[in-house]
Amino acid sequence: MVQVVLTFDPSLGHMFHNFPLLSFLPCAPVRYVPPPVYRYLSKPDVRADEYGRAVLAPYGIRKVEACLRLRSRLRAEVIHPNHLDRHIRGDTKIIAVNTMDPLGIGPLSLMFNNCGREKSWVRHEFETLMHWIGVLKRERCPGAKVVVGGAGEWEFEIMPEMIEALGIDYVVQGEMDDIIHLLFEGIVEGSIDNTIFLHGYRSTVFDSKGRASIMYVKDPKGHFITRHPFSRFKLPKIEDIPTIVGAAISGQVEIMRGCGLDCDFCEVTTRPLRYYPPEKVLEEVKVNLRAGIKNAWFITDNQWAYMLRDPNYWPNKEAIVNLYRTVMSYDGVTHANPMHATLAPVAADPELPMLISKIVGAGPGKHIGVQIGLETGSDKLVQTHMARKALPFRVGVDATWAEIVVEAKMALNAAYWIPADTIILGMSGETDDDIWDTIGLINYMASQNLLFTVTPMALVSLGSLRGQNALTDVYANLTPAQAALIYISWRNTKRMAEILAWRLGSDTPLLKLLTGGLLVFGANFWLGALERYLKRLNPMTERAIEKAKTYTVIPSKGTDFRKLRQQMRELSLNRALRQGA
Ligand code: SF4
């Protein structure tokens, strides 16, 4: 008897032949990727055990499972989405679904589907799942409640009409892994504690200077649930967050929450910094190992902030190295890499990625992947929206942002790291000059044969998307320079697909050839179609794209990073001496 059936959006359970570039695929419109091609490229799926339970599951739903196991009398299991019919029964009380991009309007999907004008595969799969849950619920347990949560919950704030259309009772927001048992017990008993939970959601709003503040929006229909701002349960301390009890997809383990860099378009920065000690990280690594996952993928919004002590953001090298050593020295662990990081700390301390690579055993056949918010090539936009992202450097004083980026990329590639960058279009105050700085930076790095992907995103700020009544048309209002930047970004992805398609992935050589061939063909097809589409937008766009193809100019102060690092070290030493005196 399973009272709480926990499951997840099927698109989160695809392994995409372990080709990193293929994880974009669910963002693609259904109309342009035929089902047989999608099904083949998304394979294999995470396995189910003989009872239909997911052997691997998204980290978020594993945290919910852990909290319920530890603190609740409700019996919960994480069920594979393909086996729900075996567990949704007459005694099921709650069906909870973890999702990342349920309506296909995540920052990346909306670039592919132009803000939902096409239906992306990710939405198609979520809707199919919810429809199936609705059928099973109607037939077997009409009184059960359907709960949706995870990183994509905000999309229902944009399209609240989809909540009832998809048969959802509650959309749960925010960190809940210390109190989700109280919510689920309240739902089952029909009395949610209103001193702990608020029927509404927390929204981040940004003022004209980009300062973030939190606002709570009440939901008269009672679908949205968030932690009450005056709840006696404050945001959980690390010791209150339960350790996962079932294995997470790709060996995900959390190492910290928050970031602390205050980029003015980012919600993460409103979350307080908290760090998992290495021993707690290792506990979760062991859970994954028991399911045969030998990789540790560190969940973090910025790895270099791990155990941060220096206000100028020099990374805490000892703590970071200790974390990797602790994990990698455990018997059976073969790889570790972070989910997200920034660039400036690497330019400041290029030894850092190399140290990690040595611990991990990275090399020409074993790269370290990391997602990085590159955002722009423009000094002005960095100074306006994200000055602290460049710490310990001061953009425009010590070096240009482009110089910092290139210096960091060289250090990362030299240590066998391959960054997957994102850039933002449409930041407030952006001009065509800023866009050309970004085009120049991408092309310059490609001309130096640096290995990186770059994905353009419009309106990446979740906060700024919230509360809009009408979705933006991403492409209709592009300036010619913005269109050229989108083209250049995908041209670089095609370059990387051609380099990596034959190197990465875990198939047999024959299947690797097939998957790699499809990937290269798909990248070429997409770029050709995109170029034709963008050039049709207006004649100026055609000219901008042609100019962008060979534009490699980057803002430069001729910075000598070796000298700069030396000066900064001396300054910091003197400061320490003065403080000690
Ligand atoms: S560095 Fe990244 S996670 Fe941190 S505040 Fe900036 S955008 Fe957000």
Side-chain angles (χ1 to χ4, degrees), residues 259-263 265-266 268-269 301-302 342 375 389:
C259 164
L261 278 181
D262 302 336
C263 300
F265 48 85
C266 177
V268 172
T269 207
D301 287 300
N302 180 10
T342 51
E375 324 300 13
K389 206 189 250 277

Side-chain angles (χ1 to χ4, degrees), residues 177-376:
D177 36 18
D178 56 328
I179 52 171
I180 195 77
H181 60 298
L182 299 174
L183 176 63
F184 280 13
E185 285 168 5
I187 289 174
V188 170
E189 285 154 16
S191 65
I192 296 171
D193 187 334
N194 291 329
T195 66
I196 302 175
F197 302 102
L198 174 82
H199 281 287
Y201 55 86
R202 199 179 106 115
S203 186
T204 308
V205 285
F206 299 91
D207 67 14
S208 56
K209 294 213 167 84
R211 285 176 300 230
S213 59
I214 305 296
M215 194 177 84
Y216 283 85
V217 180
K218 283 199 178 163
D219 173 21
K221 290 192 170 175
H223 289 310
F224 288 99
I225 296 183
T226 191
R227 187 184 297 256
H228 198 289
F230 303 117
S231 166
R232 63 183 180 280
F233 296 96
K234 303 299 167 213
L235 272 187
K237 298 197 187 89
I238 288 297
E239 53 272 28
D240 297 327
I241 299 174
T243 299
I244 56 171
V245 292
I249 291 172
S250 306
Q252 292 177 18
V253 290
E254 197 167 33
I255 63 166
M256 58 187 285
R257 293 186 182 180
C259 164
L261 278 181
D262 302 336
C263 300
D264 70 11
F265 48 85
C266 177
E267 278 200 319
V268 172
T269 207
T270 63
R271 301 166 74 185
L273 273 163
R274 287 153 291 164
Y275 312 107
Y276 281 55
E279 304 70 42
K280 191 170 165 88
V281 176
L282 189 58
E283 285 309 306
E284 298 203 329
V285 171
K286 288 181 194 169
V287 172
N288 291 335
L289 263 179
R290 285 198 284 275
I293 304 298
K294 297 176 177 172
N295 173 58
W297 193 16
F298 294 156
I299 298 176
T300 164
D301 287 300
N302 180 10
Q303 157 175 274
W304 308 126
Y306 183 70
M307 301 281 180
L308 190 70
R309 284 196 301 244
D310 187 305
N312 285 327
Y313 230 81
W314 285 93
N316 185 342
K317 185 147 76 182
E318 293 72 31
I320 296 169
V321 165
N322 183 34
L323 170 68
Y324 275 88
R325 282 223 173 93
T326 305
V327 168
M328 286 304 297
S329 58
Y330 192 79
D331 207 17
V333 180
T334 57
H335 193 58
N337 66 314
M339 196 170 274
H340 293 102
T342 51
L343 290 166
V346 178
D349 191 349
E351 205 193 16
L352 194 49
M354 189 56 93
L355 273 175
I356 294 173
S357 292
K358 283 186 181 146
I359 298 168
V360 168
K366 186 181 174 187
H367 289 98
I368 295 180
V370 60
Q371 295 169 36
I372 287 178
L374 169 62
E375 324 300 13
T376 178

Side-chain angles (χ1 to χ4, degrees), residues 314 344 347-350 390-401 403-405 407 557-572:
W314 285 93
D349 191 349
L391 286 174
F393 301 112
R394 293 159 302 167
V395 166
V397 179
D398 299 317
T400 67
W401 174 241
E403 287 174 322
I404 294 168
V405 170
E407 179 75 6
K557 286 169 60 68
T559 304
D560 179 338
F561 276 88
R562 220 180 278 262
K563 238 191 236 164
L564 180 61
R565 283 190 285 265
Q566 183 60 32
Q567 282 166 0
M568 290 174 84
R569 253 182 239 119
E570 281 165 13
L571 268 175
S572 123

Side-chain angles (χ1 to χ4, degrees), residues 479-490:
T479 67
Q482 287 174 324
L485 175 55
I486 290 177
Y487 170 80
I488 287 301
S489 303
W490 288 108

Side-chain angles (χ1 to χ4, degrees), residues 295-564:
N295 173 58
W297 193 16
F298 294 156
I299 298 176
T300 164
D301 287 300
N302 180 10
Q303 157 175 274
W304 308 126
Y306 183 70
M307 301 281 180
L308 190 70
R309 284 196 301 244
D310 187 305
N312 285 327
Y313 230 81
W314 285 93
N316 185 342
K317 185 147 76 182
E318 293 72 31
I320 296 169
V321 165
N322 183 34
L323 170 68
Y324 275 88
R325 282 223 173 93
T326 305
V327 168
M328 286 304 297
S329 58
Y330 192 79
D331 207 17
V333 180
T334 57
H335 193 58
N337 66 314
M339 196 170 274
H340 293 102
T342 51
L343 290 166
V346 178
D349 191 349
E351 205 193 16
L352 194 49
M354 189 56 93
L355 273 175
I356 294 173
S357 292
K358 283 186 181 146
I359 298 168
V360 168
K366 186 181 174 187
H367 289 98
I368 295 180
V370 60
Q371 295 169 36
I372 287 178
L374 169 62
E375 324 300 13
T376 178
S378 152
D379 279 9
K380 185 193 86 192
L381 290 180
V382 171
Q383 285 160 338
T384 310
H385 296 288
M386 54 193 120
R388 283 170 55 76
K389 206 189 250 277
L391 286 174
F393 301 112
R394 293 159 302 167
V395 166
V397 179
D398 299 317
T400 67
W401 174 241
E403 287 174 322
I404 294 168
V405 170
V406 173
E407 179 75 6
K409 286 288 174 66
M410 289 193 304
L412 288 170
N413 276 187
Y416 307 105
W417 292 53
I418 300 185
D421 298 324
T422 50
I423 53 167
I424 304 177
L425 282 96
M427 272 187 271
S428 79
E430 175 194 282
T431 63
D432 277 359
D433 286 347
D434 302 314
I435 294 289
W436 283 106
D437 284 345
T438 312
I439 292 172
L441 178 57
I442 294 169
N443 281 342
Y444 177 79
M445 292 192 293
S447 73
Q448 301 299 302
N449 294 323
L450 289 171
L451 297 181
F452 65 101
T453 60
V454 56
T455 306
M457 292 186 182
L459 297 173
V460 79
S461 157
L462 308 188
S464 65
L465 268 175
R466 280 205 174 104
Q468 287 187 5
N469 295 323
L471 291 169
T472 317
D473 185 327
V474 178
Y475 294 97
N477 301 315
L478 286 178
T479 67
Q482 287 174 324
L485 175 55
I486 290 177
Y487 170 80
I488 287 301
S489 303
W490 288 108
R491 185 178 74 162
N492 183 66
T493 304
K494 177 181 95 75
R495 176 183 76 97
M496 290 296 288
E498 286 166 354
I499 295 171
L500 297 179
W502 322 109
R503 284 201 215 167
L504 303 181
S506 57
D507 289 335
T508 61
L510 197 63
L511 280 179
K512 210 178 221 183
L513 207 63
L514 178 62
T515 313
L518 276 170
L519 186 61
V520 171
F521 172 79
N524 276 285
F525 176 80
W526 165 248
L527 189 69
L530 183 73
E531 183 173 3
R532 284 190 296 279
Y533 172 75
L534 292 174
K535 282 182 170 176
R536 274 201 305 270
L537 288 177
N538 81 42
M540 300 291 284
T541 300
E542 176 158 10
R543 232 171 292 155
I545 289 178
E546 289 308 318
K547 175 182 167 188
K549 284 180 178 172
T550 53
Y551 189 86
T552 54
V553 180
I554 58 169
S556 171
K557 286 169 60 68
T559 304
D560 179 338
F561 276 88
R562 220 180 278 262
K563 238 191 236 164
L564 180 61

